[in-house]
Amino acid sequence: MTDGNGFLSGRLLVVAFEGWNDAGEAATGAVRTLKELLDVEEVTSIDPEIYFDYQFNRPTISTDEDGRRVIEWPSAVMYGPAVPGSSGVPLAEDAQLRVSGTNAGNIYLLIGTEPSRSWKGFAAEILDSVLAADVSGIVFLGAMLADVPHTRPISIFVSSDSPEVRAELQVERSSYEGPVGILSVLAAAAETVGIPSLSIWASVPHYVHNAPSPKAMLALIDKLEEIIDVVIPRGDLVTDASEWETGIDALAAEDEEMAAYIGQLEQARDTVDSPEASGEAIAQEFEKYLRKRGDGRDGRADGRQGPGPEPRQP
């Protein structure tokens, strides 16, 4: 809990983008979960014609509830509370069916696809909408492919470029230097106009990059709930995360090389988690990942644009 002038005191925008920033679909999955649970409606959407290369981010077609064939274009959509400022009260006392807590009625969402071009203009258009909605703080969610084992808790790295946010929430400032995705561009633009931001990143095992990671999604939701002072129902996520881990265990049981490699990662992770380990370990893993991703390829889990497994460590 913070005082009336803190990061959590006003309207918060939670942001996730498909693509380079979204390994295992964990970040966008977390925001989509919030969208289903919150009473939100569309505030604005970005015209995709200016910012997307449709040969790179192709539109999709599906059938709607009325049986019509509908084309969905890559874009970014911002959602806001249908009744701003109202707390999300559970629909029944014995059923946590909605997000609740002191900040539940102040949460805005932005979800989209990382644009192909004109990032400065894209960021400016997004920030115009953020300022118009009187958003006072932004939380960026991301997920990276990393050399981590699926059998251990998902590593979470929280950082902020705002001295006030770092002091209030006791988080670090990232020391990373190198190529970035649209989240970093938006964060820099937000700081320029005086809107503080916070970034939450999850590490996803690179050897399962072709599948969504409910365990990483759950870890992001856990940390988000802790930071923004809300209670977020987990639904089937806990079960899905357990089944995801069990499925990978089964694959590893049939592949001696994979099992041996996972064992190496487990040993390394246990060393990092030991009381003697440095608190910089997760931050170093984050920076290592971003340097590897400097080739411009993303961490999508659908196999269309993903980077493939990282080289295994000796």
Side-chain angles (χ1 to χ4, degrees), residues 18-314:
E18 297 175 355
W20 202 72
N21 316 274
D22 192 33
E25 301 175 15
T28 52
V31 174
R32 288 193 175 99
T33 297
L34 284 176
K35 180 177 176 291
E36 292 174 359
L37 297 170
L38 288 166
D39 185 15
V40 294
E41 56 189 24
E42 182 175 320
V43 174
T44 186
S45 62
I46 296 295
D47 183 350
E49 290 295 315
I50 302 173
Y51 304 112
F52 293 93
D53 179 347
Y54 297 140
Q55 290 185 322
F56 185 73
N57 297 114
R58 291 186 178 274
T60 59
I61 191 167
S62 59
T63 303
D64 65 14
E65 295 178 354
D66 298 323
R68 296 173 299 185
R69 301 285 280 167
V70 178
I71 292 180
E72 183 176 350
W73 300 88
S75 186
V77 181
M78 181 174 169
Y79 300 90
V83 184
S86 64
S87 296
V89 180
L91 300 182
E93 291 183 0
D94 60 343
Q96 288 287 338
L97 301 178
R98 294 178 60 185
V99 173
S100 60
T102 58
N103 264 348
N106 292 320
I107 299 175
Y108 288 67
L109 307 174
L110 175 63
I111 188 168
T113 303
E114 186 174 67
S116 308
R117 58 174 73 92
S118 303
W119 282 19
K120 292 181 181 179
F122 182 87
E125 190 168 341
I126 291 291
L127 264 296
D128 282 346
S129 298
V130 171
L131 290 169
D134 199 25
V135 166
S136 59
I138 303 177
V139 179
F140 294 100
L141 301 185
M144 55 186 174
L145 295 175
D147 298 325
V148 295
H150 71 282
T151 53
R152 298 295 187 265
I154 295 292
S155 297
I156 296 291
F157 177 59
V158 183
S159 66
S160 176
D161 283 336
S162 166
E164 293 78 13
V165 173
R166 293 199 302 272
E168 177 186 342
L169 300 180
Q170 298 299 300
V171 299
E172 303 175 19
R173 182 177 188 176
S174 173
S175 60
Y176 169 74
E177 296 180 352
V180 296
I182 192 62
L183 296 186
S184 296
V185 173
L186 288 171
E191 293 287 345
T192 298
V193 298
I195 301 177
S197 66
L198 181 81
S199 296
I200 307 174
W201 282 76
S203 297
V204 177
H206 69 76
Y207 52 87
V208 288
H209 70 100
N210 280 330
S213 177
K215 187 172 181 177
M217 190 189 312
L218 183 62
L220 284 173
I221 288 176
D222 287 344
K223 179 58 68 171
L224 183 65
E225 178 182 82
E226 173 188 332
I227 287 178
I228 69 173
D229 189 28
V230 296
V231 177
I232 305 171
R234 303 305 194 267
D236 295 329
L237 263 182
V238 175
T239 300
D240 292 344
S242 178
E243 291 176 350
W244 174 84
E245 187 170 330
T246 300
I248 301 170
D249 287 342
L251 290 175
E254 299 175 356
D255 186 333
E256 292 184 2
E257 185 180 1
M258 181 179 182
Y261 176 60
I262 292 172
Q264 293 176 11
L265 293 179
E266 289 173 336
Q267 183 177 3
R269 174 62 185 273
D270 292 343
T271 299
V272 168
D273 288 344
S274 68
E276 297 81 11
S278 166
E280 297 292 323
I282 294 178
Q284 290 173 358
E285 184 66 42
F286 174 73
E287 294 177 6
K288 176 183 175 183
Y289 158 79
L290 286 177
R291 289 192 179 96
K292 285 183 178 182
R293 296 277 61 77
D295 55 11
R297 295 178 294 177
D298 65 30
R300 290 179 68 103
D302 57 12
R304 291 177 295 167
Q305 301 164 30
E310 297 293 338
R312 295 184 176 183
Q313 301 299 317

